[in-house]
Amino acid sequence: MTDADTLLATTRAVRRRLDLTRPVERRLLEECIALAQQAPSGGNRQGWSFVVVTDRDRRAALAELYRRGWERYVTEGIFERPARAADPGARARQRRITASARYLADHLHEVPVLVVPCITGRTDGGDVVVQASQFGSVLPAVWSFMLAARARGLGTAWTTIHLFHEREAAGVLGIPFDEVMQAALIPVAHLVGEGLRPGHRRPLEDVVHWDRWGG
């Protein structure tokens, strides 16, 4: 694989291997965000912003909201459903993912940087074209940020559980809730250990439809 292919194939959701003791240099974060600015956005406008959270108390407050969201996931059994799949391999993978997600919920307050990507304009109650256009303007930038972080030896994970309590998170960070929508919460830290491998994925024939659904 080319270097670009390797980067794309090994930018994993990192939870257990985030270094909780080593600070992340501001310079690295700014380099990643500068690259994220080059991502395409709807209407060729950059309506997004990143809130980079390093303050201990604010990280702790966000982590508490995240834990409350995680408990909702657990209570509603969302993480358990794939674990009941017929395929033993799928069940084992889901158990590992659940354990990893629980670890992050327990330790999120220790992660040195939390990045909250935001987009101006709320889509609450909007139809699918409104939702797709708005999120399509911010998500490419977030993914570019995560790729840039991976290239610099940083680990990240895409999370959204804190959005169960988005308004409270907006209060913690001073985000004008009625005007600005949060898209995710990205923990960022140096990686512990070396090397990330491509993850298990379904065969292409299970996910690609040629010309029509089922084709």
Side-chain angles (χ1 to χ4, degrees):
M1 292 189 291
T2 67
D3 287 346
D5 288 348
T6 301
L7 181 68
L8 289 165
T10 62
T11 301
R12 319 295 320 137
V14 181
R15 303 180 186 94
R16 289 182 179 273
R17 292 180 52 189
L18 297 171
D19 191 331
L20 304 179
T21 63
R22 179 181 174 185
V24 177
E25 300 86 337
R26 180 168 179 161
R27 170 185 57 82
L28 294 180
L29 296 166
E30 290 177 338
E31 288 175 3
C32 294
I33 295 171
L35 288 169
Q37 285 186 292
Q38 300 301 317
S41 60
N44 198 32
R45 65 179 182 88
Q46 184 184 304
W48 56 262
S49 302
F50 285 179
V51 182
V52 182
V53 187
T54 59
D55 176 80
R56 182 186 299 271
D57 292 339
R58 287 188 173 88
R59 285 188 287 121
L62 289 177
E64 177 58 28
L65 296 177
Y66 187 92
R67 277 190 289 273
R68 285 165 53 190
W70 167 255
E71 290 305 320
R72 177 172 173 177
Y73 260 56
V74 172
T75 300
E76 296 180 2
I78 296 171
F79 269 90
E80 296 177 3
R81 292 167 194 163
R84 295 194 289 265
D87 177 21
R91 293 199 300 271
R93 285 191 295 273
Q94 188 59 34
R95 284 193 294 269
R96 289 194 297 269
I97 292 171
T98 300
S100 174
R102 183 179 296 278
Y103 175 89
L104 183 62
D106 290 341
H107 294 275
L108 188 65
H109 63 287
E110 301 175 67
V111 178
V113 180
L114 303 177
V115 175
V116 180
C118 302
I119 185 74
T120 300
R122 301 199 62 84
T123 62
D124 307 77
D127 58 27
V128 67
V129 68
V130 172
Q131 299 278 357
S133 297
Q134 194 74 329
F135 282 106
S137 292
V138 62
L139 299 192
V142 183
W143 185 233
S144 289
F145 172 84
M146 296 170 75
L147 290 168
R150 169 74 180 102
R152 287 159 176 76
L154 302 173
T156 62
W158 192 298
T159 80
T160 55
I161 291 176
H162 88 289
L163 294 176
F164 283 127
H165 307 287
E166 184 196 359
R167 186 181 289 275
E168 291 174 71
V172 170
L173 301 177
I175 297 171
F177 178 82
D178 293 334
E179 303 167 16
V180 175
M181 183 169 56
Q182 299 165 54
L185 185 154
I186 312 297
V188 184
H190 286 280
L191 278 171
V192 174
E194 296 294 330
L196 292 173
R197 297 176 297 178
H200 179 274
R201 293 294 183 264
R202 295 155 58 193
L204 279 183
E205 56 266 26
D206 287 355
V207 299
V208 178
H209 306 271
W210 293 99
D211 296 322
R212 57 183 294 276
W213 188 268

